[in-house]
Amino acid sequence: MTAEHFVRYEVDDRVAVITLDRPGAANAQTPGILADLDDAWRRAEDDPVVRVIVLTTTGKHFSAGHDMSGNDPSTDERSLAPRRVDGKLVAEDYYDWETRGYLGYARRWRDIPKPSIAAVQGKCIAAGLMLCWPCDLIVAAENAQFSDPVGLLGIMGVEYHAHTWELGARKAKEMLFTAGSVSAEEALRSGMVNHVVPLEQLREFTIALAHRVAQTDPWALRMAKRAVNQTLDTQGFSTAIAACFDIHHLGHTRALAATAGETVVMADLERMKAAGRAGR
Ligand code: ZN
């Protein structure tokens, strides 16, 4: 069986466009899809013609986050998912996988020495944020909604805790406390997105912005990006990201311990406890 491919890569003049194309599953991310996305990012990074990278997705929603179905049509030829022992996830293996596979990708994409722009439409849920936040600029459609409801998994947010940096402390807390959505306009006010445009103009506007950025000298672009990212790192961004990843895994480890290796939402855990199938 051949793996299905959900990631497209095109170069338009000096702009690389990476497209996640799995609209039937609201662009949910499997380990195989993330590996394919990472391949596309590397290709854009290595191509001397490419000066700017655009990340876009197809369909109504930007991304529903990680694919929790366990079905990965893109990985049959590669063993990319976290290893299981006797069908159960092992905490330390899970930690290693997410370090490499989730956090690792987001951090690597953030630091690629070329400017990147994400175009976000519809819902951008949980790990959807880990696709757009690593990009340098974000253009949102008017209907964009950003949320991170992984409190439902007993966890403080996705693996890449940029929430506080992107939204400010109070808005980040409200987003995580309520599992609610941040609208495109709210995201604009908080500085999380650069522009809000009508949905039908999203792609055209983003590509035009990319071409405008591509007119700047590549070395100047690289150094400008480095200056801003180094400033954030001096303020503690990367250290905080690493520290909060461990807090994220405290949540996973608690859930795995309570369920002897299953990942479940808290509602399921409560039901399992009531049925005597899970510990405290
Ligand atoms: Zn996780």
Side-chain angles (χ1 to χ4, degrees):
M1 191 175 107
T2 305
E4 289 186 55
H5 292 288
F6 300 104
V7 177
R8 292 203 311 267
Y9 178 87
E10 299 138 292
V11 177
D12 171 16
D13 194 6
R14 291 176 287 195
V15 174
V17 180
I18 300 170
T19 304
L20 170 54
D21 184 20
R22 198 190 181 200
N27 296 307
Q29 307 160 36
T30 65
I33 285 170
L34 286 165
D36 288 345
L37 281 170
D38 191 53
D39 287 346
W41 277 100
R42 286 179 192 275
R43 204 168 151 190
E45 181 180 7
D46 292 344
D47 185 343
V49 170
V50 170
R51 291 192 184 179
V52 181
I53 303 162
V54 167
L55 178 72
T56 182
T57 74
T58 58
K60 279 174 68 177
H61 301 298
F62 180 71
S63 176
H66 292 142
D67 189 327
M68 308 293 277
S69 70
N71 170 35
D72 190 349
S74 59
T75 57
D76 54 312
E77 290 166 356
R78 292 183 287 183
S79 181
L80 298 164
R83 196 172 64 96
R84 290 170 181 261
V85 176
D86 297 330
K88 305 289 187 187
L89 283 161
V90 177
E92 54 266 44
D93 289 4
Y94 203 28
Y95 182 91
D96 287 345
W97 147 249
E98 291 207 340
T99 300
R100 188 183 69 250
Y102 291 164
L103 180 66
Y105 288 142
R107 295 183 75 166
R108 216 184 69 67
W109 301 340
R110 181 234 185 202
D111 287 328
I112 281 176
K114 294 179 179 179
S116 55
I117 311 176
V120 179
Q121 79 285 5
K123 292 188 190 306
C124 175
I125 302 172
L129 300 166
M130 292 164 65
L131 297 184
C132 66
W133 279 347
C135 293
D136 298 305
L137 310 179
I138 300 176
V139 181
E142 286 169 342
N143 73 344
Q145 289 184 299
F146 303 86
S147 65
D148 187 3
V150 301
L152 301 173
L153 296 165
I155 298 173
M156 43 44 86
V158 289
E159 289 78 10
Y160 183 77
H161 181 83
H163 313 59
T164 305
W165 300 85
E166 296 284 358
L167 292 160
R170 296 202 188 281
K171 200 72 198 166
K173 285 175 180 171
E174 185 179 2
M175 180 198 215
L176 294 170
F177 289 176
T178 64
S181 294
V182 172
S183 69
E185 278 303 324
E186 287 175 307
L188 183 67
R189 278 202 298 277
S190 73
M192 197 188 102
V193 307
N194 295 79
H195 300 277
V196 176
V197 300
L199 176 62
E200 60 275 14
Q201 294 172 19
L202 178 65
R203 184 178 173 88
E204 185 187 354
F205 183 96
T206 306
I207 299 284
L209 179 59
H211 281 291
R212 189 172 149 209
V213 173
Q215 291 171 16
T216 303
D217 172 60
W219 176 256
L221 289 172
R222 180 178 170 185
M223 290 300 106
K225 173 166 182 167
R226 188 170 172 78
V228 177
N229 282 7
Q230 292 280 46
T231 299
L232 288 171
D233 285 344
T234 302
Q235 293 172 334
F237 178 87
S238 289
T239 311
I241 290 282
C244 292
F245 176 73
D246 287 356
I247 299 173
H248 172 91
H249 259 274
L250 185 59
H252 275 315
T253 304
R254 169 176 169 266
L256 292 176
T259 61
E262 294 293 341
T263 50
V264 293
V265 299
M266 285 297 105
D268 291 336
L269 180 58
E270 291 308 313
R271 279 195 288 276
M272 289 171 77
K273 282 180 185 171
R277 290 168 46 218
R280 294 176 64 79

